Amino acid sequence: MRRLAPYQTGLWLAEYVDIHCQLCRIYRSTPQSQLSSGKPSLNTTGSSSDHSLSSRLYHQFHHHLNKGLLCAYCHHSVAWLPEPFDVDIAVGSSLTIQAATYYDYPMREAIRAFKHHEDMTKFPLLLHAIRQLPRPHGCHHDNSVIVAMPTTNQRLIKRGFDPVGILSAQLSKHWRIPLWHGVQRIDDTVSQQGLTRAERLSNLDNAFALTKTPPVRRLLLFDDVATTGASLQALGRTLSRAFTDTTLNSPLVVA
Ligand SMILES: [Zn+2]
């Protein structure tokens, strides 16, 4: 993964060396494990089974290294998970879309700077948001894969890097669920902006092609931004055709 090297270095510096919040740059960052999410936290009291010495040492070591990326104050400004919403992908089958945070300041500016100007200083903030995504219930590395929204070769050449690929690699690490690359983008739709929802959908309907058969039945689709969910819906439709019944995918995700 040669492409990841520069991002990994910047991330390593932000996460382990720079003690300042990656958003305000004023306060000290707080380990993400100590920050609450927008969801009610799970009560883990009483589960003392994993408190062996080695596990305790591991957690202490990890805690020592992981200084976090945002301060508690900035975290609370982006910590609220939006309500998930469903889109239909086939008869009797729908896709649940869960965003990591709202598409608003400061996340909107960060994703635009990252995506359009390859601004790596925004990467830690985006990673912080990705780590807020709860792993879908029942999904693990043996029964699920993450499918990142594919891009066209043209767009990849023009942009020079693949922002969705980089973000999805981080999600894969966070959830410990592998990425699967079995779908190609075959359209050259430059922009969906300014089109109605119906126009977007018909435009997108033939935008993807499977190159392999999915290895598992649980496919977790990922995109960097989902406002209406039209692209994810179209990708979901293509993938659903790979299965004969309707138990295809459940949740999916967006930063
Ligand atoms: Zn801050």
Side-chain angles (χ1 to χ4, degrees), residues 17 26-27 35 47 69 73 88 97 105 122 129 138 170 186 191 237 239:
V17 178
I26 297 170
Y27 302 111
L35 297 167
S47 63
L69 295 164
Y73 180 80
D88 291 332
I97 299 186
Y105 176 85
K122 301 294 187 288
Q170 296 298 328
I186 49 175
S191 175
R237 277 177 204 267
L239 290 163

Side-chain angles (χ1 to χ4, degrees), residues 20-29 69-75:
H20 289 105
C21 169
Q22 296 294 310
L23 182 54
C24 67
R25 307 263 177 201
I26 297 170
Y27 302 111
R28 289 175 82 100
S29 57
L69 295 164
L70 296 192
C71 70
Y73 180 80
C74 289
H75 166 75

Side-chain angles (χ1 to χ4, degrees), residues 156-169:
L156 193 59
I157 290 164
K158 194 178 158 203
R159 189 170 272 164
F161 85 124
D162 176 16
V164 177
I166 289 161
L167 294 171
S168 63

Side-chain angles (χ1 to χ4, degrees), residues 109-120 159 161:
E109 285 68 19
I111 191 82
R112 284 179 183 164
F114 176 67
K115 210 170 156 169
H116 302 300
H117 305 292
E118 212 171 337
D119 181 352
M120 283 308 126
R159 189 170 272 164
F161 85 124

Side-chain angles (χ1 to χ4, degrees), residues 21-67:
C21 169
Q22 296 294 310
L23 182 54
C24 67
R25 307 263 177 201
I26 297 170
Y27 302 111
R28 289 175 82 100
S29 57
T30 308
Q32 198 146 5
S33 55
Q34 287 178 14
L35 297 167
S36 61
S37 71
K39 294 178 65 184
S41 60
L42 293 171
N43 181 10
T44 53
T45 317
S47 63
S48 56
S49 56
D50 67 343
H51 279 138
S52 66
L53 182 64
S54 61
S55 140
R56 229 168 33 224
L57 285 175
Y58 171 79
H59 283 108
Q60 278 172 5
F61 179 68
H62 188 70
H63 178 76
H64 176 71
L65 280 180
N66 182 6
K67 296 196 170 66

